[in-house]
Amino acid sequence: MPPVASTPTGKLPFVVWVLAAGTFLMGTTEFVIAGLLPEIAGDLDVSVSHAGLLITAFAVGMIVGGPVMALATLRLPQRLTLVLALAVFALGHVVAALSSSFTVVLAARVVTALATGAFWAVGFVIATAAAGPARASRAVGVMMGGLTLANVVGVPIGSFVGQHTGWRGPFWALAVLAALAAAVIGRFIPTAEKRAEMSVRAEFRALRQGRLWLALSAAVLIMGGIMATYTYIAPLLTDRAGIPAGIVPLVLIAFGIGALGGTAVGGRLGDRRPMTTTITAAAAAALVLLLLIPLSDGPVTAVALIFLMALTGFSLNPVVTSLVMRFAGDAPTLASALTTSAYNTGVAVGSALAGRALASSLGLTGPALVGAVFTALTLLPLIALAIRGTRPAPRTVAQRTCPAPREHQSSPGHLWQRPPSSPETPAHPHTPGGHS
């Protein structure tokens, strides 16, 4: 990996943008199924609800498979792991596109989710290492922006193509694009001169950090809150706000634009003041969701609040992700995978509770209430982190690297060097920091 110092100040390394393109493909395949369920159900001779298991299977594969694949590939060169993940990702789509069996397609989705988990776990580590401590949150924001852009561009295009060519068309397109991405990553992500020896025991030892679990809890809660509302946003827009069904996709694009802006803003502000950024964004998101309950009966206010919900809620994600890897110290790979699992857990739990709320006496505003509660609860772990401080974890015996001077080491294993002191990054380990 090129030394961090070789990158001009203020600019992210090209490798971060390459990895963001990979997350764009991963995000597209995760969410495009929702727009193709009727076509898939009819072609594979199953009910639409049964075809929905393809979404559930992918989420479960991400929750469980991310940490498992991170450990399974721990001793492989990181570039090889990314290339293999994209190759398996492409193969899974080819198998699904060629099959007429729902069981085979379901199994292919699980395998694809495993590959996605491996790619994200290693990709976040490489991106933050290449960007350096001062721009780590911004690098994570760019990578997560690829995921958000998938909702704005990839999913609508995939759904449109699938409706005209059949659901297999987008699968073939994703397979080809993944193969091209593997070739590009193999070209632009160099291998470090000496690969650090990774320790599975050290990866688990890093999980003893209490602050790491606070950050993971924040990831579960904020994603659960936002996605609880987003999952059932269509009936809220049509039946309560009175927006025609044909206009709903445009509102969803507005949500995606807000999410894209949120990840960009959070990535830039979070490097300087992580706790101020996250606490302010979480409080604002909770307020927006509370306002959505009484003000969603008008189309203008409903659309404006949905945009603000995405803008504020997604501002936390890049900061929380970079904090997780900061607290993991020299063993960030498993922690990075757990972050992906945390976000998917939030999606699963939040959506499930929102569905129950929708079916209860709360009706159409039930999901927004669930989202507001989840988002407000996000403040608890964030405030605890602000009190404890966000200083990087102490060095652990996680890796053995080449005996180069520390300031010249740029292996992805050395993810976080000591940052300059700031009000939110105290210089002394016993000095509480992070106060907003």
Short mmCIF file of all heavy atoms in Angstrom, two decimals, residues 243-271:
data_model
loop_
_atom_site.label_atom_id
_atom_site.label_comp_id
_atom_site.label_asym_id
_atom_site.label_seq_id
_atom_site.Cartn_x
_atom_site.Cartn_y
_atom_site.Cartn_z
N ILE A 243 -49.79 10.90 -1.69
CA ILE A 243 -48.91 10.97 -2.86
C ILE A 243 -49.25 9.82 -3.80
O ILE A 243 -49.37 8.67 -3.36
CB ILE A 243 -47.44 10.91 -2.43
CG1 ILE A 243 -47.09 12.15 -1.61
CG2 ILE A 243 -46.50 10.79 -3.63
CD1 ILE A 243 -45.68 12.15 -1.05
N PRO A 244 -49.43 10.07 -5.12
CA PRO A 244 -49.73 8.98 -6.06
C PRO A 244 -48.63 7.92 -6.05
O PRO A 244 -47.44 8.24 -5.86
CB PRO A 244 -49.80 9.69 -7.41
CG PRO A 244 -50.10 11.11 -7.09
CD PRO A 244 -49.42 11.39 -5.78
N ALA A 245 -49.03 6.67 -6.26
CA ALA A 245 -48.07 5.58 -6.22
C ALA A 245 -46.95 5.75 -7.24
O ALA A 245 -45.80 5.36 -7.01
CB ALA A 245 -48.79 4.24 -6.45
N GLY A 246 -47.27 6.36 -8.38
CA GLY A 246 -46.25 6.54 -9.41
C GLY A 246 -45.17 7.53 -9.03
O GLY A 246 -44.09 7.55 -9.63
N ILE A 247 -45.44 8.36 -8.02
CA ILE A 247 -44.47 9.37 -7.58
C ILE A 247 -43.57 8.82 -6.47
O ILE A 247 -42.51 9.38 -6.18
CB ILE A 247 -45.20 10.64 -7.09
CG1 ILE A 247 -46.13 11.15 -8.19
CG2 ILE A 247 -44.23 11.74 -6.72
CD1 ILE A 247 -45.39 11.54 -9.47
N VAL A 248 -43.97 7.72 -5.85
CA VAL A 248 -43.21 7.18 -4.72
C VAL A 248 -41.75 6.91 -5.07
O VAL A 248 -40.86 7.22 -4.27
CB VAL A 248 -43.90 5.91 -4.18
CG1 VAL A 248 -43.01 5.17 -3.17
CG2 VAL A 248 -45.23 6.28 -3.52
N PRO A 249 -41.43 6.33 -6.25
CA PRO A 249 -40.00 6.12 -6.56
C PRO A 249 -39.18 7.42 -6.55
O PRO A 249 -38.01 7.40 -6.16
CB PRO A 249 -40.05 5.51 -7.97
CG PRO A 249 -41.36 4.83 -8.04
CD PRO A 249 -42.29 5.70 -7.27
N LEU A 250 -39.79 8.53 -6.94
CA LEU A 250 -39.07 9.80 -6.90
C LEU A 250 -38.78 10.22 -5.46
O LEU A 250 -37.71 10.78 -5.17
CB LEU A 250 -39.88 10.89 -7.60
CG LEU A 250 -40.14 10.67 -9.10
CD1 LEU A 250 -40.98 11.82 -9.66
CD2 LEU A 250 -38.81 10.56 -9.86
N VAL A 251 -39.70 9.92 -4.56
CA VAL A 251 -39.47 10.22 -3.15
C VAL A 251 -38.36 9.35 -2.59
O VAL A 251 -37.52 9.81 -1.81
CB VAL A 251 -40.76 10.03 -2.33
CG1 VAL A 251 -40.52 10.35 -0.85
CG2 VAL A 251 -41.88 10.90 -2.87
N LEU A 252 -38.32 8.10 -3.04
CA LEU A 252 -37.26 7.20 -2.59
C LEU A 252 -35.90 7.67 -3.11
O LEU A 252 -34.88 7.51 -2.44
CB LEU A 252 -37.55 5.77 -3.06
CG LEU A 252 -38.85 5.16 -2.53
CD1 LEU A 252 -38.97 3.71 -2.98
CD2 LEU A 252 -38.93 5.27 -1.01
N ILE A 253 -35.88 8.24 -4.30
CA ILE A 253 -34.63 8.81 -4.82
C ILE A 253 -34.21 9.99 -3.94
O ILE A 253 -33.02 10.17 -3.65
CB ILE A 253 -34.80 9.24 -6.28
CG1 ILE A 253 -34.95 8.00 -7.18
CG2 ILE A 253 -33.62 10.08 -6.75
CD1 ILE A 253 -35.21 8.31 -8.63
N ALA A 254 -35.18 10.79 -3.50
CA ALA A 254 -34.87 11.90 -2.60
C ALA A 254 -34.27 11.38 -1.29
O ALA A 254 -33.33 11.96 -0.74
CB ALA A 254 -36.13 12.72 -2.32
N PHE A 255 -34.81 10.27 -0.80
CA PHE A 255 -34.24 9.63 0.39
C PHE A 255 -32.80 9.21 0.12
O PHE A 255 -31.91 9.44 0.95
CB PHE A 255 -35.08 8.41 0.78
CG PHE A 255 -34.50 7.60 1.91
CD1 PHE A 255 -34.83 7.90 3.22
CD2 PHE A 255 -33.62 6.55 1.67
CE1 PHE A 255 -34.29 7.15 4.27
CE2 PHE A 255 -33.09 5.81 2.70
CZ PHE A 255 -33.43 6.11 4.00
N GLY A 256 -32.56 8.61 -1.04
CA GLY A 256 -31.21 8.17 -1.38
C GLY A 256 -30.24 9.34 -1.49
O GLY A 256 -29.08 9.24 -1.05
N ILE A 257 -30.70 10.46 -2.05
CA ILE A 257 -29.84 11.65 -2.16
C ILE A 257 -29.51 12.18 -0.76
O ILE A 257 -28.38 12.58 -0.47
CB ILE A 257 -30.52 12.72 -3.01
CG1 ILE A 257 -30.64 12.24 -4.47
CG2 ILE A 257 -29.74 14.04 -2.95
CD1 ILE A 257 -31.45 13.15 -5.35
N GLY A 258 -30.52 12.17 0.12
CA GLY A 258 -30.27 12.60 1.50
C GLY A 258 -29.27 11.70 2.20
O GLY A 258 -28.38 12.17 2.92
N ALA A 259 -29.40 10.38 1.98
CA ALA A 259 -28.46 9.44 2.59
C ALA A 259 -27.06 9.63 2.05
O ALA A 259 -26.07 9.56 2.79
CB ALA A 259 -28.94 8.00 2.33
N LEU A 260 -26.96 9.89 0.75
CA LEU A 260 -25.65 10.13 0.13
C LEU A 260 -25.00 11.39 0.71
O LEU A 260 -23.82 11.41 1.04
CB LEU A 260 -25.81 10.25 -1.38
CG LEU A 260 -24.52 10.29 -2.22
CD1 LEU A 260 -23.73 9.01 -2.05
CD2 LEU A 260 -24.85 10.52 -3.68
N GLY A 261 -25.81 12.43 0.86
CA GLY A 261 -25.30 13.66 1.46
C GLY A 261 -24.91 13.45 2.91
O GLY A 261 -23.90 14.00 3.38
N GLY A 262 -25.69 12.66 3.63
CA GLY A 262 -25.38 12.39 5.03
C GLY A 262 -24.06 11.68 5.22
O GLY A 262 -23.27 12.03 6.10
N THR A 263 -23.80 10.67 4.40
CA THR A 263 -22.52 9.96 4.52
C THR A 263 -21.35 10.87 4.18
O THR A 263 -20.28 10.78 4.80
CB THR A 263 -22.50 8.72 3.60
OG1 THR A 263 -22.78 9.13 2.25
CG2 THR A 263 -23.54 7.70 4.03
N ALA A 264 -21.55 11.77 3.20
CA ALA A 264 -20.47 12.69 2.84
C ALA A 264 -20.21 13.70 3.96
O ALA A 264 -19.05 13.95 4.34
CB ALA A 264 -20.82 13.41 1.54
N VAL A 265 -21.27 14.27 4.50
CA VAL A 265 -21.11 15.26 5.57
C VAL A 265 -20.54 14.61 6.83
O VAL A 265 -19.62 15.14 7.46
CB VAL A 265 -22.47 15.92 5.88
CG1 VAL A 265 -22.39 16.78 7.14
CG2 VAL A 265 -22.93 16.76 4.71
N GLY A 266 -21.08 13.45 7.20
CA GLY A 266 -20.58 12.76 8.38
C GLY A 266 -19.12 12.37 8.24
O GLY A 266 -18.34 12.46 9.18
N GLY A 267 -18.74 11.92 7.03
CA GLY A 267 -17.35 11.54 6.81
C GLY A 267 -16.40 12.71 6.96
O GLY A 267 -15.30 12.57 7.51
N ARG A 268 -16.80 13.88 6.51
CA ARG A 268 -15.91 15.06 6.59
C ARG A 268 -15.86 15.62 8.01
O ARG A 268 -14.78 15.92 8.53
CB ARG A 268 -16.38 16.14 5.62
CG ARG A 268 -16.04 15.83 4.17
CD ARG A 268 -16.39 16.99 3.26
NE ARG A 268 -15.93 16.73 1.90
CZ ARG A 268 -14.72 17.02 1.44
NH1 ARG A 268 -13.83 17.57 2.25
NH2 ARG A 268 -14.38 16.77 0.19
N LEU A 269 -17.01 15.78 8.66
CA LEU A 269 -17.02 16.35 10.00
C LEU A 269 -16.54 15.37 11.07
O LEU A 269 -15.96 15.77 12.07
CB LEU A 269 -18.44 16.82 10.35
CG LEU A 269 -19.03 17.92 9.45
CD1 LEU A 269 -20.44 18.27 9.93
CD2 LEU A 269 -18.14 19.15 9.43
N GLY A 270 -16.78 14.07 10.82
CA GLY A 270 -16.46 13.08 11.84
C GLY A 270 -14.99 12.89 12.10
O GLY A 270 -14.59 12.43 13.18
N ASP A 271 -14.12 13.23 11.15
CA ASP A 271 -12.69 13.10 11.38
C ASP A 271 -12.20 14.11 12.42
O ASP A 271 -11.27 13.84 13.16
CB ASP A 271 -11.92 13.31 10.06
CG ASP A 271 -12.00 12.11 9.15
OD1 ASP A 271 -11.97 10.98 9.67
OD2 ASP A 271 -12.10 12.29 7.93
#
